[in-house]
Every structure is written in C-alpha cells, then in structure tokens.
Amino acid sequence: MLHAAPLAVLAILAFAGNSLIARAALGSHLVDAPLFTIIRLVAGALTLAVICQLRGGAPMPTRRDLPSALMLLIYAAAFSFAYLHIGAATGALILFVCVQLSMTAIGIATGARPRKVDVAGLALALAGLAWLLAPGLTAPPMGAAALMAAAGAAWGGYTVRGRSGGDPVVASARNFIGAAVLSLPLIAWASMGELHASGVGLAVASGALTSALGYVVWYSVLPRLPIATAASAQLSVPLVTALIAAVSLGEALSMRLLVAGVLIFAGIGLTIGFRRKT
C-alpha cells in the first residue's frame, strides 16, 4: 500500500487531464473533433500495444472485443464533439454522473437490487444534474450536454464490460486498437483547415498519456484500494478538473456549477459512505 496513494493521485490527474486537454485543443479550434478522436485513439492504441509488447504479449482484437471497442469509440467521439461547446469542468461533471448512472442502470437491468440509500443518493445526484442543465444564462448548451451524457453512458457500459475482460492492460490495448480502426471513417468529416501542430500534440498527449498511461496506472493501483476508496477517488475527478480549469483555462466557477457539484458529490458520496460502513 506504500505507493498506492501517489499512483491514485497520478491517475486522478490523468483523468482530469483528458477533459482539460480536450477543451484546450477543441475550444481553441486547434484541431476539429473527428481528427482529435482519431489521433487520440490511435496514439492510445500504439502506446498500449508497445507496453504489451514489452510485457511479452502482442494484443489483437477479436470479435468478442467489438462491443467494447464500439463503446470506446462512442465515448471518445461524443466526448470530443461535446468539448467544442462546453467547459472542461462542466463536461467532467456531466460525464462523471452519467458514468455512475449508466453503471447503476446496467446493474439493475442485470438483476441487481438497489437499496433505499442508493436510490436516495442517485436521486440527489440527478437533482444536481437537473440544476446544472436547467435553462438559464449559465446553463451549458443542451446539445453539448447531451453528447457528454452519451459519452458517460458509453464509458459506463465499457467499464462494466471491462470487469470481466482479463488482464486490463491487454484488454485496453485490444479495445483501443479496435476503436482506432473503427474511428477511421470519421476522416470523412474532418477539416484539415482546422489543424495545428499544437492541436495534434494535445490529441497525442490525450491518447498516449492521460488515456493509455493513465489507465495503466489506475489499473495497477486499483487492486490495492478498497472499493469505497476507489469510488471516492473517481468522485474527486470533476472537482480537480474544475480547479485546474479555473487556473489554466480561465473558466469561471459559477454558482450553478458549484451548487450542482455539491448535490452530485453529496448524492454519490452518500452511497459510497454507506457501503463503507456496511
């Protein structure tokens, strides 16, 4: 457990970095969403393939990997298009709560019986999301919010499938390779006029560093963390994103975002805290 805490912090920073990098590249029109998606997935696939090769394996996706690869592609593409029009902090908050909601919905659909405290916590989180998306001057664009919600749902499904995928690094490599191949038709919607070296560099960093290496770090530390601690760590990602975005991207911490964040964190924290005690 000696090195678990620093690794967990590193993974949290990587997850937050995905939102920050995407918003910096896409919000400034340094690269368009289709190209950002393709470059990110290809960079992640190459990085994970090299890691697996160094470990003695050469991962190749199979037909069984197709659903996970599709979910990863949907997540990455919706994530990219959403960040054309939504702030890093708001996007991370919507993404996070929709990941949790989708995982809970999948659990219920497959036979899990939620407890009253889970229902209460999720209702509180949904109230926070509703407050964030309610019409008003500071509400995020509904189209971008819907895309980020779709990204969260896809990532939740991908996460659930990944629980039974064997070695998570090898499985991630197969899924990234599959998603990278499936993403290539997006080139038809790409705009080469909206392409700068810095945008390409940010997309590569998102794929190779904050995605591929971030997942490797997270999966290496996850077995050494209690479930409640791991869930709490993920709960901190939108907060970290908001704080860094305020400093690095100049995003304002609006009262709507703060209130929604408190409600969402309280709701999901309620279920996490109850599980820790029981």
Side-chain angles (χ1 to χ4, degrees):
M1 290 292 290
L2 181 61
H3 302 294
L7 287 174
V9 171
L10 188 60
I12 291 166
L13 291 174
F15 294 154
N18 269 327
S19 291
L20 296 164
I21 290 173
R23 181 56 183 167
L26 295 162
S28 300
H29 303 289
L30 300 175
V31 61
D32 71 357
L35 283 175
F36 185 90
T37 302
I38 295 170
I39 295 169
R40 179 187 179 188
L41 290 172
V42 170
L46 290 173
T47 302
L48 288 167
V50 169
I51 292 173
C52 290
Q53 190 66 42
L54 292 174
R55 295 172 62 192
M60 288 300 295
T62 65
R63 186 175 298 180
R64 290 184 301 175
D65 298 313
L66 182 59
S68 292
L70 281 172
M71 289 179 191
L72 181 57
L73 173 60
I74 292 169
Y75 152 75
F79 181 92
S80 299
F81 280 96
Y83 269 130
L84 289 171
H85 307 291
I86 199 170
T90 301
L93 195 60
I94 295 172
L95 178 73
F96 174 82
V97 71
C98 288
V99 168
Q100 301 301 316
L101 291 173
S102 65
M103 292 177 67
T104 301
I106 292 171
I108 293 173
T110 54
R113 299 183 61 183
R115 298 162 303 171
K116 291 181 179 179
V117 69
D118 295 322
V119 174
L122 289 172
L124 192 58
L126 278 173
L129 185 61
W131 170 261
L132 179 66
L133 300 179
L137 291 177
T138 58
M142 191 55 65
L147 283 169
M148 192 59 78
W155 186 254
Y158 178 82
T159 301
V160 171
R161 279 187 56 85
R163 288 178 175 177
S164 58
D167 184 331
V169 177
V170 174
S172 294
R174 293 199 309 265
N175 295 331
F176 261 84
I177 293 170
V181 172
L182 292 172
S183 74
L184 295 180
L186 289 175
I187 198 72
W189 289 272
S191 172
M192 294 302 176
E194 193 174 300
L195 182 63
H196 303 271
S198 55
V200 173
L202 288 171
V204 170
S206 176
L209 299 178
T210 55
S211 293
L213 294 182
Y215 299 162
V216 170
V217 171
W218 179 245
Y219 287 132
S220 70
V221 73
L222 195 57
R224 291 183 274 165
L225 294 176
I227 293 176
T229 302
S232 298
Q234 293 185 79
L235 181 65
S236 69
V237 172
L239 177 60
V240 172
T241 304
L243 295 175
I244 298 177
V247 175
S248 63
L249 301 178
E251 293 188 4
L253 295 174
S254 68
M255 184 57 65
R256 180 191 290 260
L257 178 64
L258 292 174
V259 171
V262 168
L263 290 173
I264 290 169
F265 292 164
I268 298 175
L270 178 66
T271 61
I272 294 170
F274 188 85
R275 285 194 180 99
R276 183 178 294 167
K277 293 176 183 178
T278 57

